[in-house]
Amino acid sequence: MDIMKRFSLEGKVALVTGAAYGIGFAMAEALAGAGAKIAFNCRSQKNMDQALAAYAAKGIDAHGYIADVTIEEQVKDLLGKIEADLGPVDILVNNAGIIRRIPMTEMSAEEFRQVVDIDLVGPFICSKAVIPGMVERGHGKIINVCSMMSELGRETVSAYAAAKGGLKMLTRNICSEYGAANIQCNGIGPGYIATPQTAPLRERQPDGSPHPFDSFLMAKTPAGRWGTPEDLMGPVVFLASEASDFVNGHILYVDGGILAYFGKQP
Ligand code: NAP
Ligand code: GCO
C-alpha cells in the first residue's frame, strides 16, 4: 500500500469558512498542498481582496466568496456557486469564529447570542447545507474548529466556551447521525495560536515586559510556546483525508500539551 496516497486530497473540493487569514488560511493552504481545490468565504470585500492576493502569492488558485455563515440563504447561495465553479463540496472546515472577552455579568444577552450564532449556529447551518449532497455521493468530511474552551472555562469567555463546548457535541452528533452514510465529522481543538484573534493576549506591556496572560500561558503549556497556524496543517490534512476514514466524532487537540498538564510547579 502506498500510505502517502491515503493522505492525498487530489480531486477533492474543500470549503474552509472564514479563511481570509489566520487559522483558516493556513488550513486552506495545507489542503491545497495535499491536492484539494479550495473555496473560502469571508464577510468583507476588503478582506477578500487581501486574501485572494495572499493565496495567489502562495501559488494557490483559491475561490473566494462573500458570505456570512449565520445567514442560511447566503450559505445556500455560496454552496450553489461553489458547485458551479468547482464541483460539490467533499470537505467542509467550519473555521469561521469570533470571541468576546467580557465578564459574564457585564455581557448582554445580545452579545452572548452573537458569539453563539457565529461559533455554533454557523457550523450547524454550513453542515446542514453540505450533508445531503455528501449522503447522496456516499462520502464526506466535516471538520469543526473547536477550542481549549470546548473542555475548559476561563474568566470573561462564557459565550465562547458555551459555543465551543456545544460545537464539540454537534461534532459527535453529526458523527452519530451520519456516520452510517460514510460521513466523518471530527473536531480540531487548537491550543493558543498566534493570530489576530489572540493578539490582545500577547500585547507587550508599556515597560516592554510580556502580557501577564502570555506568562501565565507559558507556565501552562508543556511546549513552552504559542502555537502557529502552521501547527494545524498536518492535523487538518489527516482529518480531511482517507487516512482518517475510521476516525469519527473525535476532537483532536493541537495544544502543545495544555490539556495534559497541571501547570508549572511553583
Ligand atoms: P481570526 O484571526 O479572528 O479569523 C476569524 C475568521 O473568521 C476571519 O477570517 C473572519 O473573517 C471569519 N468570520 C468571522 N465571523 C464570520 C461570519 N459570520 N461569517 C463568515 N466568516 C466569519 O481567528 P483565528 O484565530 O484564525 O480563529 C479561527 C477559528 O479558530 C475560530 O473558530 C476560533 O474560535 C478558533 N480558534 C482559535 C484559536 C486561537 O488561539 N487563535 C484557538 C482555538 C480555536 P471576516 O471577519 O472578514 O468575515
Ligand atoms: C481566550 C482565547 C481562546 C483561544 C482558543 C483557545 O481568550 O481564552 O482567545 O479562547 O482563542 O480558543 O483554544
Side-chain angles (χ1 to χ4, degrees):
M1 180 202 276
D2 180 353
I3 184 63
M4 295 316 287
K5 268 199 179 153
R6 304 272 293 158
F7 291 87
S8 169
L9 302 178
E10 218 54 62
K12 304 285 185 193
V13 174
L15 165 61
V16 186
T17 67
Y21 51 87
I23 289 174
F25 183 90
M27 286 183 167
E29 184 186 347
L31 298 174
K37 290 184 241 171
I38 302 299
F40 71 97
N41 68 304
C42 65
R43 291 172 299 178
S44 78
Q45 192 58 48
K46 184 169 157 268
N47 286 347
M48 173 67 63
D49 292 343
Q50 282 174 2
L52 287 172
Y55 281 110
K58 293 203 175 262
I60 299 168
D61 179 23
H63 290 238
Y65 307 85
I66 302 287
D68 186 320
V69 295
T70 65
I71 303 174
E72 212 160 4
E73 276 313 306
Q74 290 191 13
V75 171
K76 270 192 203 154
D77 192 47
L78 166 70
L79 285 161
K81 286 180 182 153
I82 296 171
E83 182 148 1
D85 294 344
L86 299 173
V89 170
D90 302 293
I91 300 157
L92 167 67
V93 183
N94 282 312
N95 166 77
I98 62 160
I99 192 165
R100 278 176 167 269
R101 299 182 185 96
I102 306 172
M104 183 172 149
T105 53
E106 291 164 29
M107 188 172 213
S108 69
E110 202 32 59
E111 288 165 331
F112 189 94
R113 274 194 203 102
Q114 190 203 10
V115 175
V116 172
D117 205 24
I118 296 177
D119 293 4
L120 180 56
V121 182
F124 162 76
I125 289 175
C126 294
S127 302
K128 184 184 154 190
V130 297
I131 286 171
M134 290 178 170
V135 170
E136 218 174 279
R137 293 187 299 281
H139 65 89
K141 299 275 185 182
I142 299 175
I143 299 162
N144 291 327
V145 181
C146 297
S147 163
M148 292 294 89
M149 270 68 222
S150 299
E151 298 294 337
L152 303 170
R154 99 170 178 84
E155 298 82 349
T156 74
V157 298
S158 58
Y160 187 78
K164 293 294 187 177
L167 187 57
K168 172 179 72 178
M169 288 313 301
L170 178 65
T171 303
R172 292 182 180 161
N173 214 81
I174 293 173
C175 154
S176 308
E177 207 163 340
Y178 298 102
N182 193 29
I183 293 172
Q184 288 83 47
C185 179
N186 292 290
I188 289 183
Y192 279 79
I193 311 294
T195 69
Q197 193 204 70
T198 52
L201 306 176
R202 284 178 283 110
E203 262 170 17
R204 292 254 156 202
Q205 301 299 92
D207 67 0
S209 61
H211 191 290
F213 188 88
D214 193 336
S215 314
F216 163 75
L217 183 67
M218 289 309 100
K220 296 285 284 180
T221 310
R225 66 170 176 86
W226 281 77
T228 64
E230 290 70 29
D231 287 320
L232 283 326
M233 288 176 138
V236 76
V237 169
F238 170 61
L239 291 179
S241 71
E242 276 177 23
S244 61
D245 274 358
F246 203 55
V247 180
N248 210 350
H250 182 75
I251 311 297
L252 173 52
Y253 289 102
V254 184
D255 65 353
I258 294 174
L259 289 179
Y261 192 38
F262 199 57
K264 203 167 191 59
Q265 292 178 40

